[in-house]
Amino acid sequence: MFFVNVFGIVAICTAINTAWGSSFCPSLPTMKCSCPSGWQLWQKACYRLTESKANWENSKSACQEIGGKMAAPRSLKEMNFMAELAKKKVNNYYVWIACNDIEVEGNWTCDVLGDGDPFMGWQPGQPDNVYDQDCAGIAARHNDKMDDDECIKNYEAVCVRHAVCSPRSTQLRHFCFSSDYPSRFLNATCLFDHVIREFTTEGVTACGSACIKEPGCRSFNIKKSEGRKLCQLNNSTRLDDKDKFQNTSYFCMYLEECIG
Protein backbone atom coordinates (compact mmCIF):
# COMPACT_ATOMS: atom_id res chain seq x y z
CA MET A 1 0.00 0.00 0.00
CA PHE A 2 1.41 3.37 -1.04
CA PHE A 3 0.86 6.71 0.67
CA VAL A 4 1.19 10.10 -0.97
CA ASN A 5 1.47 13.07 1.38
CA VAL A 6 -0.73 16.04 0.54
CA PHE A 7 0.00 19.34 2.31
CA GLY A 8 1.88 17.30 4.92
CA ILE A 9 -1.45 16.46 6.54
CA VAL A 10 -3.61 14.36 4.25
CA ALA A 11 -2.45 11.20 2.51
CA ILE A 12 -4.27 9.25 -0.18
CA CYS A 13 -3.55 5.53 -0.33
CA THR A 14 -4.17 2.88 -2.96
CA ALA A 15 -3.93 -0.89 -2.75
CA ILE A 16 -1.66 -3.15 -4.76
CA ASN A 17 -2.28 -6.41 -2.93
CA THR A 18 -5.25 -8.52 -4.11
CA ALA A 19 -5.47 -10.13 -0.69
CA TRP A 20 -6.97 -6.96 0.74
CA GLY A 21 -9.97 -7.10 -1.59
CA SER A 22 -12.61 -4.41 -1.11
CA SER A 23 -11.84 -4.11 2.60
CA PHE A 24 -8.18 -3.17 2.31
CA CYS A 25 -8.76 0.07 4.15
CA PRO A 26 -9.71 -0.64 7.79
CA SER A 27 -11.52 2.05 9.73
CA LEU A 28 -9.60 4.07 12.26
CA PRO A 29 -11.55 5.23 15.32
CA THR A 30 -11.38 8.86 16.38
CA MET A 31 -10.09 7.69 19.78
CA LYS A 32 -7.35 5.16 20.42
CA CYS A 33 -8.57 2.79 23.14
CA SER A 34 -6.97 -0.15 24.87
CA CYS A 35 -7.85 -2.80 27.46
CA PRO A 36 -5.93 -4.74 30.11
CA SER A 37 -4.77 -8.25 29.25
CA GLY A 38 -7.66 -10.71 29.13
CA TRP A 39 -10.26 -8.07 28.26
CA GLN A 40 -11.81 -7.56 24.81
CA LEU A 41 -12.27 -4.06 23.38
CA TRP A 42 -15.61 -3.00 21.88
CA GLN A 43 -16.10 0.68 21.11
CA LYS A 44 -14.84 2.45 24.27
CA ALA A 45 -15.33 -0.34 26.79
CA CYS A 46 -13.61 -3.59 27.74
CA TYR A 47 -15.40 -6.92 28.27
CA ARG A 48 -14.62 -10.36 29.61
CA LEU A 49 -16.29 -13.32 31.28
CA THR A 50 -15.85 -14.30 34.90
CA GLU A 51 -13.38 -17.13 35.48
CA SER A 52 -15.93 -19.53 36.99
CA LYS A 53 -19.65 -20.08 37.33
CA ALA A 54 -21.49 -18.60 40.30
CA ASN A 55 -24.92 -17.36 41.30
CA TRP A 56 -26.01 -13.89 40.20
CA GLU A 57 -24.88 -12.02 43.34
CA ASN A 58 -21.51 -13.76 43.54
CA SER A 59 -20.96 -13.22 39.80
CA LYS A 60 -21.61 -9.52 40.34
CA SER A 61 -18.92 -9.50 43.03
CA ALA A 62 -16.54 -11.49 40.82
CA CYS A 63 -16.72 -8.78 38.15
CA GLN A 64 -15.89 -6.14 40.76
CA GLU A 65 -12.92 -8.16 42.02
CA ILE A 66 -11.29 -8.07 38.57
CA GLY A 67 -11.75 -4.32 38.17
CA GLY A 68 -15.08 -4.13 36.39
CA LYS A 69 -18.80 -4.55 36.96
CA MET A 70 -21.44 -6.89 35.65
CA ALA A 71 -22.46 -5.73 32.20
CA ALA A 72 -25.90 -4.82 30.83
CA PRO A 73 -26.44 -4.11 27.13
CA ARG A 74 -27.41 -0.64 25.88
CA SER A 75 -28.06 -1.70 22.29
CA LEU A 76 -28.67 -4.75 20.14
CA LYS A 77 -25.13 -4.46 18.78
CA GLU A 78 -23.68 -4.51 22.30
CA MET A 79 -25.82 -7.50 23.26
CA ASN A 80 -24.69 -9.33 20.11
CA PHE A 81 -21.07 -8.58 21.03
CA MET A 82 -21.65 -10.08 24.49
CA ALA A 83 -23.16 -13.17 22.89
CA GLU A 84 -20.19 -13.60 20.54
CA LEU A 85 -17.82 -13.19 23.49
CA ALA A 86 -19.61 -15.97 25.37
CA LYS A 87 -19.65 -18.24 22.31
CA LYS A 88 -15.88 -18.09 22.11
CA LYS A 89 -15.74 -19.99 25.40
CA VAL A 90 -18.66 -22.36 24.97
CA ASN A 91 -21.15 -22.55 22.13
CA ASN A 92 -24.18 -23.46 24.25
CA TYR A 93 -23.61 -20.63 26.71
CA TYR A 94 -25.73 -18.95 29.39
CA VAL A 95 -24.25 -15.82 31.00
CA TRP A 96 -25.52 -13.48 33.68
CA ILE A 97 -26.03 -9.78 32.93
CA ALA A 98 -26.73 -6.87 35.28
CA CYS A 99 -30.55 -6.86 35.06
CA ASN A 100 -33.01 -8.01 37.71
CA ASP A 101 -36.46 -7.51 39.21
CA ILE A 102 -35.51 -8.59 42.73
CA GLU A 103 -37.01 -5.57 44.49
CA VAL A 104 -40.30 -5.28 42.58
CA GLU A 105 -41.62 -8.20 40.56
CA GLY A 106 -41.97 -7.23 36.91
CA ASN A 107 -39.99 -3.99 37.30
CA TRP A 108 -36.74 -4.90 35.57
CA THR A 109 -33.77 -2.62 36.26
CA CYS A 110 -30.31 -2.78 34.72
CA ASP A 111 -26.99 -1.34 35.85
CA VAL A 112 -25.35 -0.15 32.61
CA LEU A 113 -21.84 1.23 32.25
CA GLY A 114 -21.92 5.02 31.93
CA ASP A 115 -24.87 6.89 30.45
CA GLY A 116 -27.68 5.52 28.36
CA ASP A 117 -30.74 3.37 28.77
CA PRO A 118 -30.56 -0.41 28.92
CA PHE A 119 -31.56 -2.48 25.91
CA MET A 120 -34.13 -5.05 26.99
CA GLY A 121 -33.69 -7.62 24.25
CA TRP A 122 -35.91 -10.37 25.60
CA GLN A 123 -36.53 -13.64 23.80
CA PRO A 124 -40.24 -13.75 22.80
CA GLY A 125 -42.20 -15.18 25.73
CA GLN A 126 -39.66 -13.92 28.27
CA PRO A 127 -39.50 -12.96 31.07
CA ASP A 128 -41.93 -15.64 32.28
CA ASN A 129 -40.99 -15.75 36.00
CA VAL A 130 -41.17 -19.54 36.26
CA TYR A 131 -40.01 -20.65 39.73
CA ASP A 132 -39.46 -17.04 40.88
CA GLN A 133 -36.90 -16.06 38.22
CA ASP A 134 -35.62 -12.61 39.16
CA CYS A 135 -32.24 -12.37 37.39
CA ALA A 136 -31.47 -11.97 33.70
CA GLY A 137 -29.00 -13.59 31.38
CA ILE A 138 -28.27 -13.99 27.69
CA ALA A 139 -28.49 -17.52 26.36
CA ALA A 140 -27.66 -19.43 23.20
CA ARG A 141 -30.80 -21.52 23.57
CA HIS A 142 -32.82 -18.30 23.53
CA ASN A 143 -31.32 -17.15 20.21
CA ASP A 144 -28.71 -14.94 21.91
CA LYS A 145 -31.46 -12.93 23.60
CA MET A 146 -32.38 -12.21 27.21
CA ASP A 147 -34.01 -14.73 29.53
CA ASP A 148 -34.97 -14.67 33.21
CA ASP A 149 -33.74 -17.39 35.55
CA GLU A 150 -33.41 -18.20 39.23
CA CYS A 151 -30.72 -16.02 40.80
CA ILE A 152 -29.31 -18.99 42.74
CA LYS A 153 -28.23 -20.79 39.58
CA ASN A 154 -24.56 -20.84 38.66
CA TYR A 155 -23.44 -19.27 35.38
CA GLU A 156 -20.53 -17.21 34.16
CA ALA A 157 -21.18 -13.47 33.85
CA VAL A 158 -20.24 -10.75 31.37
CA CYS A 159 -18.09 -8.07 32.99
CA VAL A 160 -17.36 -4.60 31.64
CA ARG A 161 -15.07 -1.68 32.43
CA HIS A 162 -14.12 1.59 30.75
CA ALA A 163 -11.32 1.34 28.21
CA VAL A 164 -8.34 3.67 28.42
CA CYS A 165 -8.83 6.08 25.52
CA SER A 166 -6.87 9.01 24.16
CA PRO A 167 -7.32 11.18 21.04
CA ARG A 168 -5.39 10.11 17.97
CA SER A 169 -2.86 12.53 16.55
CA THR A 170 -4.19 14.67 13.70
CA GLN A 171 -0.75 15.73 12.45
CA LEU A 172 -0.78 13.01 9.79
CA ARG A 173 -3.95 11.33 8.67
CA HIS A 174 -4.38 8.84 5.87
CA PHE A 175 -7.45 8.53 3.69
CA CYS A 176 -8.06 5.49 1.51
CA PHE A 177 -10.03 4.90 -1.65
CA SER A 178 -12.48 2.01 -1.85
CA SER A 179 -11.16 -0.71 -4.15
CA ASP A 180 -12.05 -4.25 -5.17
CA TYR A 181 -8.96 -5.03 -7.26
CA PRO A 182 -5.49 -3.50 -7.43
CA SER A 183 -5.59 -0.10 -9.08
CA ARG A 184 -9.33 -0.34 -9.71
CA PHE A 185 -11.16 2.17 -7.58
CA LEU A 186 -14.85 1.89 -6.82
CA ASN A 187 -16.22 5.03 -8.44
CA ALA A 188 -19.93 4.31 -8.10
CA THR A 189 -20.16 3.47 -4.40
CA CYS A 190 -20.70 5.92 -1.51
CA LEU A 191 -21.91 6.19 2.08
CA PHE A 192 -25.45 7.52 2.40
CA ASP A 193 -27.41 9.32 5.15
CA HIS A 194 -24.37 10.43 7.15
CA VAL A 195 -23.55 13.76 5.45
CA ILE A 196 -22.82 16.60 7.89
CA ARG A 197 -21.75 19.15 5.24
CA GLU A 198 -21.73 19.33 1.43
CA PHE A 199 -19.96 21.79 -0.87
CA THR A 200 -18.33 22.15 -4.28
CA THR A 201 -14.71 20.99 -4.28
CA GLU A 202 -11.70 20.98 -6.57
CA GLY A 203 -10.92 17.36 -5.76
CA VAL A 204 -9.73 14.80 -3.24
CA THR A 205 -7.06 16.99 -1.62
CA ALA A 206 -9.44 19.85 -0.84
CA CYS A 207 -12.15 17.51 0.38
CA GLY A 208 -9.72 15.59 2.60
CA SER A 209 -8.38 18.82 4.10
CA ALA A 210 -11.95 19.91 4.87
CA CYS A 211 -12.62 16.57 6.59
CA ILE A 212 -9.61 17.07 8.86
CA LYS A 213 -10.85 20.52 9.89
CA GLU A 214 -14.47 19.45 10.37
CA PRO A 215 -15.25 18.13 13.88
CA GLY A 216 -16.77 14.69 13.67
CA CYS A 217 -15.75 13.98 10.06
CA ARG A 218 -14.65 10.35 9.63
CA SER A 219 -15.03 9.84 5.88
CA PHE A 220 -16.11 11.67 2.74
CA ASN A 221 -17.76 11.16 -0.64
CA ILE A 222 -16.85 12.92 -3.87
CA LYS A 223 -19.59 12.82 -6.43
CA LYS A 224 -20.26 14.51 -9.76
CA SER A 225 -23.47 16.49 -10.10
CA GLU A 226 -24.36 18.71 -13.05
CA GLY A 227 -20.73 19.02 -14.07
CA ARG A 228 -19.54 19.89 -10.56
CA LYS A 229 -17.57 17.88 -8.01
CA LEU A 230 -19.34 17.81 -4.64
CA CYS A 231 -17.58 16.98 -1.39
CA GLN A 232 -19.77 15.33 1.24
CA LEU A 233 -18.31 15.06 4.74
CA ASN A 234 -19.62 12.07 6.70
CA ASN A 235 -19.86 11.46 10.45
CA SER A 236 -19.48 7.69 10.06
CA THR A 237 -17.68 5.01 8.04
CA ARG A 238 -18.81 2.11 5.92
CA LEU A 239 -17.89 -0.36 8.67
CA ASP A 240 -20.05 1.51 11.16
CA ASP A 241 -23.09 1.39 8.87
CA LYS A 242 -22.61 -1.25 6.17
CA ASP A 243 -26.23 -1.01 4.99
CA LYS A 244 -25.70 2.60 3.94
CA PHE A 245 -22.57 1.84 1.90
CA GLN A 246 -24.33 1.46 -1.42
CA ASN A 247 -23.78 1.40 -5.18
CA THR A 248 -24.89 4.39 -7.22
CA SER A 249 -25.89 4.97 -10.83
CA TYR A 250 -23.53 7.95 -11.06
CA PHE A 251 -19.90 8.79 -10.30
CA CYS A 252 -19.36 8.71 -6.56
CA MET A 253 -16.07 7.95 -4.81
CA TYR A 254 -15.80 7.16 -1.12
CA LEU A 255 -12.72 7.65 1.10
CA GLU A 256 -12.27 7.09 4.82
CA GLU A 257 -9.59 7.54 7.42
CA CYS A 258 -7.53 4.39 7.59
CA ILE A 259 -4.55 2.70 9.13
CA GLY A 260 -1.47 3.05 6.99
Side-chain angles (χ1 to χ4, degrees):
M1 189 175 295
F2 295 107
F3 296 94
V4 180
N5 289 330
V6 182
F7 296 154
I9 300 176
V10 184
I12 309 302
C13 65
T14 60
I16 60 171
N17 189 339
T18 56
W20 287 99
S22 60
S23 299
F24 79 90
C25 181
S27 291
L28 184 65
T30 304
M31 302 291 289
K32 181 180 180 180
C33 299
S34 61
C35 295
S37 177
W39 294 76
Q40 298 294 312
L41 179 67
W42 186 78
Q43 294 191 357
K44 296 180 181 179
C46 305
Y47 300 78
R48 64 170 294 171
L49 301 182
T50 49
E51 292 291 340
S52 58
K53 296 180 179 180
N55 63 43
W56 190 85
E57 285 290 348
N58 288 342
S59 291
K60 186 177 179 180
S61 298
C63 285
Q64 295 171 349
E65 289 171 1
I66 57 177
K69 60 185 291 184
M70 191 185 289
R74 291 164 296 178
S75 67
L76 176 60
K77 288 184 178 180
E78 185 176 14
M79 188 171 74
N80 288 341
F81 173 82
M82 294 178 183
E84 291 301 319
L85 183 67
K87 286 179 184 177
K88 290 179 180 179
K89 191 166 187 179
V90 57
N91 199 44
N92 189 28
Y93 72 91
Y94 195 112
V95 289
W96 289 126
I97 60 173
C99 299
N100 72 87
D101 70 342
I102 295 172
E103 292 189 5
V104 180
E105 180 61 39
N107 182 24
W108 286 88
T109 61
C110 301
D111 184 16
V112 301
L113 180 71
D115 299 327
D117 297 324
F119 175 78
M120 309 299 282
W122 295 103
Q123 166 75 357
Q126 303 297 331
D128 56 10
N129 196 37
V130 176
Y131 305 118
D132 194 27
Q133 298 174 329
D134 293 330
C135 294
I138 302 172
R141 67 174 180 266
H142 289 292
N143 300 310
D144 302 327
K145 292 181 172 60
M146 289 173 57
D147 170 58
D148 60 336
D149 209 338
E150 299 169 72
C151 301
I152 60 172
K153 287 191 175 179
N154 295 326
Y155 301 119
E156 292 161 328
V158 182
C159 307
V160 64
R161 61 184 290 170
H162 288 291
V164 177
C165 299
S166 59
R168 288 187 179 273
S169 171
T170 57
Q171 292 181 351
L172 177 62
R173 291 169 63 179
H174 297 141
F175 289 90
C176 296
F177 291 99
S178 300
S179 172
D180 55 0
Y181 293 102
S183 302
R184 195 179 90 170
F185 301 127
L186 299 178
N187 57 12
T189 310
C190 274
L191 185 68
F192 288 82
D193 297 338
H194 287 284
V195 176
I196 54 179
R197 189 159 67 91
E198 180 182 279
F199 53 91
T200 303
T201 184
E202 295 179 358
V204 172
T205 300
C207 195
S209 296
C211 185
I212 286 178
K213 297 174 184 177
E214 181 74 22
C217 180
R218 298 187 60 207
S219 68
F220 57 91
N221 306 319
I222 296 181
K223 70 175 188 178
K224 290 182 179 179
S225 176
E226 300 178 349
R228 299 181 303 156
K229 292 180 182 178
L230 294 180
C231 174
Q232 296 178 326
L233 306 183
N234 303 318
N235 61 5
S236 187
T237 70
R238 77 193 195 287
L239 294 184
D240 292 329
D241 196 349
K242 295 179 181 179
D243 291 339
K244 295 298 181 180
F245 188 60
Q246 301 173 1
N247 294 329
T248 66
S249 59
Y250 50 85
F251 180 92
C252 196
M253 183 175 290
Y254 169 84
L255 297 93
E256 70 179 15
E257 189 173 8
C258 59
I259 300 170

